[in-house]
Amino acid sequence: MGSRDEAGRADRPSRASPLDGLAAALLDAEGGITWWSRAAHELLGWTGQEMARRPARWLLADAEDAFCRTERAVVHRTGLRHRAGHVVEADIHIAGAGDSDQRLLLALPLEGPDSCHQDRDIARALLAQDSIGVAQFDMKMRLVRTNAAMDALRPRDAEDGWLCRLVARDGGGTARAAFEHVAATGSSVAARVHALGPGAAASALSLSCFRVDGALGVPVGVLVEATRVPETGPARLGDAYRTAFDIGQSLDVVQVAQDLTAVLVPALGDHAAVDFPDDVLQGRDPAYGYHGQEAAAPRRVAVKSAHGAWPGPLVQVGEEVPRVGESPETAAKSVGGVLVADAALARRILGNDPVLLRKFMPEGMHDSLGCPLYRGGRFFGYAQVYRSGTSPPFDDTDIELMHDLCARTATAIDNAFRFTREHQTAVVLQRSLLPPSATRSVAAETAGVYVPAGGAVSVGGDWYDAFNLSSLRVGLVVGDVVGHGLEAAATMARLRTAVQTLADLDLPPDELLTRLDDLVRRMQLEADEPDTVGGSCLFAVYDPVDRTCRMASAGHPPPALVTPDGDVGFVPVAPGPLLGVGDNPFEVTTVTLPPGSTLVCYSDGLLGRDVVQGSAHLRSVLAGQRVADRALEAVGRAVLALTPHAEHPTDDITVLIARTHAVPEESTALWEYPADPAAVQQARAQVNAQLEAWGLHELLFSTELIVSELVTNAIRYAGEPVRLRLIRDRVLVCEVSDPSSTQPRLRRALASDEGGRGLFLVAQLTTRWGSRYTDRGKTIWTEQRLTPP
């Protein structure tokens, strides 16, 4: 049951709400209080009976407050009278209460146990810091509060409002302008250096600023963080922190080390070096913990000197780092601490060994910092920076900067390792799923080339395939899956398997792509992010008997065609929609290819961003390659070598090259019969005569039985015309075509059945058999292996 509030109105049972802890009151049209919440009682001490019908303005500590005059505000900060006599600072929000004339007043105290908004918690946590100066401003850039660290940063002779008057060193204007921009847009400012002016205790302050929202989601001010930026040589620490963002932009671990030395010099010292253990250089994940120099086998990978060339006596890039005896001072390496050493301590650590002194101590060095690169308990390397000449010793700020830079570097190296592991796994998976690079069949010889994406892009889902179909035909497919990484490789594997399965059903190219599109649409329904599932595909079927190539495209680039006499062009394939779009038909394009023609199928990674320019470049490359006289593997390598972006491609590159062959006319025979049972005997006689002419006497008996069964079934169940075709090559193909669309089915006949054994007999006499639909019905085909001469 609900309780009753202090004003006598029934409360509803309490529930968890985003407004829990807010003092609330209901106001009538004249501004009088008609309802007073328990939270308001707890906040201000007044009971519901005491506040009933009182005007809301009576609560205001300042009678001249603008809220008192307007009685309406979006968010207004003011002081409220407590029953005990003190003032409670709170944010006030007034909103309409439904369609009535009443209004709801909400008050959120600036301090209190119920003030739990995330941004406010962050603000309080920052204000409590004793090493970071923090100031809070309201939306009119009036100072609300500062912490002790900010007060300590204030110049001795600075007047009120000094922080807003600071001028950015990068020409970005005053700090006040930056704060106002943050308050208005919600953007943030990070580590912008502002000059303090002559005579100040420090030369500059690094300011960061972000907007703070109240519990009602309305901006209430900005929070400013300030740190000193002392001079450390020719560069400032604020600049170092900004340039540190460049560390890790590359996924090359050696480049990451070079990025670190570029920040260390001149930000922290005159010389800097980074050493990596052998595991990192070999691409292996380091073991957890630090196991000593002997196990690490470090090698120097990056150096930089503020005075030009790296000094010759020191350890050079690529050299092994000499072993240094373990000592209490070097224990910092095993626990991730920064080692600060002056010249005397450095000599003692090196055992005053003259060889080690020359290898590790630059001439004139008086101070050094060393910091290990740890991430997740694994040791990735060691960084050192040295100061020489008249530069001051390292202070706490320098040590903190060194630690931060090394932590960021270790994170970048770990990220590079994660990418490398996934990239290598995806490449291995991708290559294992692709067919052999070169194949040879009756219809064509093929060669495929696959180059994974380089740089910061993971391997994608490009694939190619070439497989034999019935009646000596060959299927060619090139596809490109949306996305990169293991998911793209897995999607590619599913699509490639689906293409092989559908092609084995002898579906025409347009029907195959339609079925493949249906599969992709089902995969989209299963995916968490449907937009990441899709791709393009080109499927082609070449018939060496009639020398036709039928192909269809699902948003894939058209193949290039090189004729035997060297002419280069592109097949005018009708471009269909990408896989996964659906509701759009695919069209079949048919071209007749002279024997010795070369089809070059590829993914769009070969063309680059400019498809028109890339196509023109591919045409010129193929025109100058004498394709008809060269091995296909050599043609593929030449195409890649002459592609401007192929060395470091931003996308996978897949090329499938096929050189077509033709079956001679004298190796085929074709007959047509009416729907007359007497035609079966005629078919047997003609087949026997043709086989004798070809010298295939060993196949006379089996072929006669096959032809008798297939022609008889076609005449009995399908009608005319019935066509019989023989094709002789490495195998003997026998085809029987009829106008029926009913597919034959192999079944096991019972002992009492009078029929049903014909197809079983055919299956026993052949090496392969099957059926495919045609434009005018179906074709049943068989293959028998020829005995080598």
Side-chain angles (χ1 to χ4, degrees):
M1 295 181 62
S3 61
R4 290 189 172 269
D5 69 356
E6 300 292 345
R9 295 184 179 273
D11 284 339
R12 294 181 179 179
S14 61
R15 295 180 180 178
S17 168
L19 299 181
D20 285 349
L22 292 179
L26 199 62
L27 310 181
D28 59 20
E30 288 75 29
I33 297 175
T34 61
W35 176 80
W36 188 252
S37 71
R38 183 183 297 109
H41 177 200
E42 295 173 354
L43 174 64
L44 299 176
W46 303 100
T47 66
Q49 289 86 350
E50 291 171 329
M51 295 305 301
R53 300 302 174 184
R54 283 186 182 270
R57 66 171 62 90
W58 182 82
L59 284 170
L60 299 176
D62 184 1
E64 299 299 325
D65 196 293
F67 169 63
C68 177
R69 296 193 300 271
T70 63
E71 295 191 1
R72 288 189 69 87
V74 177
V75 169
H76 187 82
R77 179 163 298 176
T78 188
L80 301 177
R81 297 169 54 190
H82 194 277
R83 196 172 190 275
H86 62 273
V87 176
V88 177
E89 293 289 331
D91 286 338
I92 301 297
H93 180 77
I94 297 180
D99 298 331
S100 67
D101 294 333
Q102 293 183 327
R103 290 170 293 164
L104 182 65
L105 181 148
L106 301 174
L108 178 70
L110 299 185
E111 299 291 344
D114 294 329
S115 180
C116 58
H117 190 273
Q118 181 180 6
D119 287 341
R120 196 173 301 279
D121 287 343
I122 295 174
R124 285 202 302 271
L126 288 173
L127 287 165
Q129 300 298 312
D130 56 3
S131 60
I132 301 175
V134 179
Q136 185 177 357
F137 293 86
D138 63 15
M139 295 297 287
K140 295 183 178 180
M141 296 303 111
R142 293 176 297 195
L143 185 64
V144 175
R145 71 185 107 177
T146 61
N147 66 352
M150 179 63 79
D151 295 337
L153 292 175
R154 177 173 178 166
R156 185 172 304 174
D157 55 349
E159 300 177 354
D160 292 342
W162 66 275
L163 193 58
C164 290
R165 289 194 293 270
L166 298 181
V167 179
R169 279 183 170 174
D170 59 4
T174 64
R176 180 185 180 92
F179 300 163
E180 290 176 341
H181 179 74
V182 171
T185 64
S187 60
S188 60
V189 172
R192 178 174 292 177
V193 179
H194 291 71
L196 279 170
S203 60
L205 290 181
S206 176
L207 301 182
S208 299
C209 177
F210 61 91
R211 191 170 73 183
V212 178
D213 294 341
L216 302 176
V218 180
V220 296
V222 295
L223 206 66
V224 180
E225 170 200 332
T227 55
R228 294 183 183 275
V229 185
E231 295 285 347
T232 57
R236 301 174 177 86
L237 293 184
D239 297 331
Y241 274 112
R242 285 197 301 276
T243 56
F245 285 102
D246 293 334
I247 298 176
Q249 298 298 316
S250 171
L251 292 172
D252 183 348
V253 294
V254 175
Q255 182 61 50
V256 172
Q258 294 172 350
D259 293 340
L260 176 59
T261 58
V263 177
L264 294 176
V265 178
L268 278 179
D270 304 299
H271 308 280
V274 176
D275 306 327
F276 280 169
D278 185 63
D279 285 339
V280 172
L281 293 175
Q282 297 299 325
R284 300 187 296 265
D285 275 332
Y288 287 96
Y290 178 68
H291 303 280
Q293 280 192 322
E294 193 69 29
R299 190 177 295 270
R300 185 141 296 178
V301 294
V303 297
K304 187 174 182 182
S305 174
H307 309 300
W310 183 250
L314 300 179
V315 180
Q316 300 296 310
V317 172
E319 292 183 356
E320 292 186 4
V321 178
R323 307 293 186 264
V324 178
E326 302 292 342
S327 64
E329 292 81 6
T330 61
K333 180 181 293 187
S334 62
V335 297
V338 178
L339 174 61
V340 185
D342 56 16
L345 178 58
R347 293 190 185 95
R348 187 164 66 251
I349 293 174
L350 296 174
N352 289 308
D353 186 329
V355 176
L356 294 179
L357 293 177
R358 287 193 301 270
K359 289 290 186 180
F360 285 100
M361 293 184 61
E363 184 177 355
M365 184 212 89
H366 58 77
D367 279 282
S368 68
L369 283 180
C371 184
L373 308 177
Y374 271 102
R375 173 69 175 176
R378 292 176 295 168
F379 177 73
F380 285 103
Y382 197 75
Q384 290 179 293
V385 61
Y386 308 93
R387 284 186 180 176
S388 58
T390 60
S391 55
F394 293 107
D395 57 21
D396 291 342
T397 305
D398 300 324
I399 296 173
E400 181 181 0
L401 174 61
M402 181 71 173
H403 188 273
D404 291 346
L405 294 177
C406 290
R408 181 176 180 84
T409 302
T411 301
I413 297 173
D414 188 41
N415 290 338
F417 266 70
R418 292 175 184 272
F419 170 82
T420 301
R421 286 194 297 270
E422 179 177 343
H423 187 272
Q424 292 175 345
T425 302
V427 169
V428 171
L429 176 61
Q430 184 89 330
R431 293 191 184 279
S432 67
L433 295 172
L434 293 176
S437 59
T439 62
R440 183 179 295 273
S441 66
V442 175
E445 57 178 313
T446 65
V449 180
Y450 170 73
V451 179
V457 181
S458 181
V459 62
D462 291 15
W463 93 93
Y464 65 87
D465 204 352
F467 40 82
N468 294 327
L469 298 175
S470 61
S471 303
L472 306 183
R473 299 172 305 151
V474 65
L476 307 172
V477 59
V478 176
D480 187 356
V481 171
V482 173
H484 296 83
L486 291 175
E487 291 185 3
T491 301
M492 177 274 290
R494 294 181 64 179
L495 295 185
R496 178 171 178 256
T497 302
V499 169
Q500 291 181 337
T501 303
L502 295 172
D504 195 50
L505 297 176
D506 276 315
L507 297 177
D510 55 339
E511 179 66 18
L512 183 143
L513 291 183
T514 299
R515 301 282 185 89
L516 196 64
D517 180 74
D518 292 339
L519 171 63
V520 172
R521 296 174 71 182
R522 289 197 298 271
M523 294 169 60
Q524 290 174 342
L525 296 176
E526 300 169 358
D528 295 333
E529 299 180 6
D531 292 341
T532 63
V533 180
S536 63
C537 182
L538 175 76
F539 180 69
V541 176
Y542 173 68
D543 189 335
V545 177
D546 59 14
R547 303 169 189 174
T548 60
C549 184
R550 306 176 71 220
M551 62 185 70
S553 170
H556 205 80
L561 173 61
V562 184
T563 61
D565 56 6
D567 291 339
V568 181
F570 290 91
V571 180
V573 180
L578 292 170
L579 296 175
V581 175
D583 300 328
N584 289 286
F586 299 98
E587 297 184 22
V588 176
T589 300
T590 302
V591 293
T592 301
L593 305 180
S597 298
T598 303
L599 277 175
V600 181
C601 307
Y602 51 88
S603 60
D604 56 3
L606 182 69
L607 303 181
R609 297 183 182 275
D610 191 334
V611 176
V612 176
Q613 182 178 355
S615 300
H617 181 78
L618 176 60
R619 183 196 294 265
S620 64
V621 170
L622 293 174
Q625 288 300 307
R626 298 178 58 86
V627 173
D629 301 330
R630 299 188 63 181
L632 296 185
E633 294 86 347
V635 174
R637 290 193 298 267
V639 169
L640 290 180
L642 296 176
T643 301
H645 56 279
E647 184 175 355
H648 300 287
T650 57
D651 193 7
D652 289 15
I653 298 178
T654 299
V655 180
L656 175 64
I657 305 176
R659 180 174 293 151
T660 63
H661 304 311
V663 175
E665 293 185 5
E666 59 270 17
S667 295
T668 64
L670 176 65
W671 302 277
E672 185 172 313
Y673 306 105
D676 183 358
V680 177
Q681 182 178 2
Q682 180 184 1
R684 288 199 298 262
Q686 290 174 330
V687 166
N688 286 336
Q690 186 64 61
L691 293 182
E692 289 178 354
W694 285 341
L696 302 178
H697 303 284
E698 71 279 3
L699 297 180
L700 285 174
F701 177 74
S702 59
T703 306
E704 183 177 354
L705 290 178
I706 293 170
V707 170
S708 295
E709 176 62 28
L710 297 182
V711 173
T712 299
N713 287 343
I715 293 174
R716 179 179 299 175
Y717 301 110
E720 60 185 12
V722 176
R723 293 182 177 87
L724 171 63
R725 184 170 71 164
L726 296 180
I727 308 173
R728 182 195 61 172
D729 200 273
R730 300 176 184 175
V731 294
L732 177 65
V733 178
C734 177
E735 296 179 344
V736 176
S737 302
D738 60 59
S740 173
S741 301
T742 303
Q743 291 281 0
R745 181 172 61 90
L746 182 65
R747 64 184 180 89
R748 183 177 297 276
L750 299 177
S752 58
D753 291 343
E754 295 183 1
R757 298 175 180 82
L759 285 181
F760 179 78
L761 179 62
V762 170
Q764 300 304 310
L765 295 174
T766 61
T767 55
R768 276 202 325 154
W769 77 278
S771 177
R772 65 176 182 269
Y773 289 108
T774 64
D775 296 337
R776 300 179 180 178
K778 70 175 181 296
T779 295
I780 303 175
W781 55 269
T782 65
E783 289 183 4
Q784 299 177 79
R785 186 177 294 111
L786 300 184
T787 302

